[in-house]
Amino acid sequence: MQQNPTPTRVLVVDDDPTVAEVVAGYLGRAGFAVDRAADGPGALARAAARRPDLVVLDLMLPGMDGLEVCRALRDKGPVPVIMLTARGDEEDRILGLEIGADDYVTKPFSPRELVLRVESVLRRGRTGPRAPGSSGPGPGQGPGPDPDEVTHRAGITLDPLARRATRDGRELALTVREFDLLAFLLRHPGVAFTREELMREVWGWDFGDLSTVTVHVRRLRGKVEDDPAAPRLIQTVWGIGYRFDAPPEADDEADDEPHGERRRDEGHGDEGQRYEGRADQGRDAGRGPGSDA
């Protein structure tokens, strides 16, 4: 007789009992096992007693806020976190992402959409990023590289099946999103992608706040670049987005075509991209929920 698989466990942390009850109800009907906590210490105690597969975490908690809880959870080991907040300022969203949140949903929100976000984050954690063109190749595009293949480039080794990445033999501590972004860029050296393309191809989102990509590029640079302020690997392409450049001496398969004219902003970090992000956010208004991604 085949045993039923253990249900995925989600910890819901919110001091508003109505919100917590509604969220827990929708997640329960979707097949998740749900634990609840009303404050930070309670959330950490629940997580210590039974490690959750994902945490839905309110930012505004009494005593110990969601950012502190997220940091404490991350210190204990990797666990996907979706932040909930009534504060929709870009600074709050970016701060949540910088400490390791995997998604960000602004109140009021649709409980059904939150369930979809939970499923999406868990799916990304299991399968990694989509191969480009997975929804149908564009003109001149082939099927794309094998997403399960171990990649070696510029001193970085990435194993998608083991969800493990090292640089010069040193393991990189990457969040789910950072790992997916690095895997995608490593498989497509020398190709410039817009932030819209990265959001869609890496994380499967057709709408959202483009600052999500900017923040994760900045965080990833901090982990793979010798000098994140003057990046050599993950380049900003002015007016377009980002491109991974593998030095020829580090990767014989790197594209030999010179990119000099395209490196107009090399060494200037993300300043131009931040300006573009604010413009893009305005253009994207109304495309989807007012969440980070």
Side-chain angles (χ1 to χ4, degrees):
M1 180 177 178
Q2 185 176 5
Q3 294 183 342
N4 293 328
T6 303
T8 301
R9 184 164 297 277
V10 177
L11 174 60
V12 176
V13 187
D14 199 305
D15 64 323
D16 185 328
T18 301
V19 172
E21 183 176 351
V22 170
V23 170
Y26 272 81
L27 289 170
R29 285 191 290 275
F32 295 99
V34 182
D35 289 331
R36 288 170 52 179
D39 55 30
L44 297 179
R46 289 276 188 177
R50 181 174 292 180
R51 188 72 177 171
D53 298 295
L54 182 141
V55 179
V56 176
L57 177 63
D58 187 28
L59 178 61
M60 301 297 291
L61 293 172
M64 183 181 191
D65 67 24
L67 297 178
E68 294 178 272
V69 176
C70 188
R71 289 190 185 98
L73 288 170
R74 291 292 189 189
D75 288 342
K76 299 296 183 181
V79 58
V81 175
I82 297 179
M83 284 280 193
L84 300 179
T85 183
R87 288 157 41 181
D89 293 343
E90 180 182 346
E91 290 78 8
D92 291 328
R93 293 195 299 270
I94 290 176
L95 182 58
L97 293 171
E98 285 182 332
I99 66 168
D102 295 279
D103 206 345
Y104 204 107
V105 178
T106 303
K107 298 178 180 179
F109 57 87
S110 163
R112 292 179 180 177
E113 183 195 340
L114 178 59
V115 171
L116 294 176
R117 295 290 188 99
V118 168
E119 293 172 343
S120 176
V121 170
L122 289 169
R123 184 168 58 249
R124 291 198 305 270
R126 290 191 297 265
T127 64
R130 302 189 306 182
S134 58
S135 58
Q141 289 183 329
D146 182 356
D148 293 335
E149 189 174 279
V150 175
T151 305
H152 306 276
R153 208 175 299 279
I156 298 172
T157 298
L158 185 139
D159 186 342
L161 294 179
R163 300 291 293 180
R164 184 172 184 265
T166 62
R167 185 180 183 212
D168 299 328
R170 176 178 56 86
E171 186 149 4
L172 300 174
L174 303 177
T175 66
V176 171
R177 282 196 194 180
E178 292 167 356
F179 187 96
D180 291 349
L181 179 59
L182 179 60
F184 183 86
L185 293 173
L186 284 177
R187 288 200 297 268
H188 303 90
V191 180
F193 293 96
T194 66
R195 288 180 298 159
E196 292 91 339
E197 288 173 328
L198 290 172
M199 184 174 284
R200 181 178 64 251
E201 299 292 348
V202 177
W203 300 308
W205 297 328
D206 293 318
F207 60 85
D209 184 350
L210 295 176
S211 64
T212 300
V213 178
T214 306
V215 168
H216 282 83
V217 166
R218 184 165 67 245
R219 292 175 56 191
L220 191 55
R221 281 172 170 163
K223 297 179 180 181
V224 303
E225 298 281 0
D226 293 327
D227 182 1
R232 295 174 57 250
L233 300 178
I234 305 175
Q235 297 287 339
T236 301
V237 182
W238 181 265
I240 299 176
Y242 301 101
R243 180 188 68 233
F244 186 88
D245 283 347
E249 66 273 14
D251 185 354
D252 294 334
E253 296 179 3
D255 187 358
D256 292 330
E257 180 182 351
H259 300 292
E261 294 183 0
R262 297 170 67 189
R263 295 181 184 171
R264 286 174 288 179
D265 63 329
E266 186 169 348
H268 294 285
D270 279 332
E271 294 301 320
Q273 201 63 30
R274 290 196 194 99
Y275 175 81
E276 279 183 44
R278 296 185 184 276
D280 285 335
Q281 289 171 32
R283 290 196 296 270
D284 282 355
R287 295 174 61 192
S291 63
D292 158 62

